[in-house]
Amino acid sequence: AYFMYQGALELRVALIAAAPSVVAYQRDASYSYVGMADMLAQDGDHAGAESLLAEAVVLRSQVVGAAPTDLAALRELSIAQNALSAALLELGRSVEALTAGQDALSTTERILELAPDVPDFLRDHMTALNRVGDAQSALGDFTAAIQTFRAMSSDGYAARS
């Protein structure tokens, strides 16, 4: 399956090179990057996953730049940002993981501004809070981590109400 993703990615990167302003090509390439990263992470290659996820975040950021209120594009960006944060934590790069987690948190907050009553979006927000809390904890900032985890708990409670 990895080689299928790789072949698709090569085609999609060629399409981006031929028509860099076509947002659909950027979005499609980001799917290949994330798919390949997932496979590498499952095999324990977090460094390989991190570089692919970083590319996916760049592409998905460009897609969101072209359509800033597109909820699907925003969600795809937050998912890639959260995955990047997780990969960076696995690599012991906690400062970068915190930044990626905070980026995901900002993206999910934007999503919730646009669509506050969607349970999947609230779950994505809680995932971002969890990534931020994990990074804060890894950095030894336990007070901030506790506050972040409490915010996650509050969001979870609100989702059940």
Side-chain angles (χ1 to χ4, degrees):
Y2 181 83
F3 294 109
M4 290 175 30
Y5 279 119
Q6 192 171 27
L9 178 61
E10 289 170 6
L11 174 62
R12 290 169 171 167
V13 168
L15 289 170
I16 291 172
S21 63
V22 178
V23 174
Y25 295 161
Q26 296 167 350
R27 190 177 221 160
D28 290 346
S30 78
Y31 296 138
S32 294
Y33 280 118
V34 170
M36 292 170 61
D38 285 345
M39 296 184 86
L40 291 176
Q42 288 175 10
D43 286 342
D45 183 0
H46 300 289
E50 180 272 332
S51 65
L52 294 170
L53 289 166
E55 289 294 327
V57 167
V58 168
L59 289 174
R60 289 181 176 186
S61 294
Q62 292 170 351
V63 171
V64 167
T69 59
D70 181 331
L71 289 171
L74 284 161
R75 185 168 193 225
E76 290 166 357
L77 174 58
S78 75
I79 290 168
Q81 290 167 324
N82 274 322
L84 177 58
S85 180
L88 289 164
L89 274 173
E90 287 291 335
L91 294 170
R93 293 165 50 191
S94 302
V95 172
E96 293 168 87
L98 179 59
T99 299
Q102 290 169 330
D103 290 345
L105 188 58
S106 293
T107 302
T108 60
E109 287 170 351
R110 175 71 178 128
I111 292 168
L112 290 174
E113 288 172 5
L114 296 169
D117 297 326
V118 180
D120 285 344
F121 298 161
L122 187 56
R123 186 189 71 229
D124 294 342
H125 183 68
M126 288 188 293
T127 299
L129 284 166
N130 192 48
R131 294 283 181 255
V132 169
D134 286 346
Q136 291 166 328
S137 182
L139 290 167
D141 191 350
F142 302 113
T143 302
I146 289 169
Q147 291 173 343
T148 300
F149 291 133
R150 282 187 179 143
M152 190 173 83
S153 177
S154 296
D155 282 354
Y157 179 75
R160 288 186 301 235
S161 299

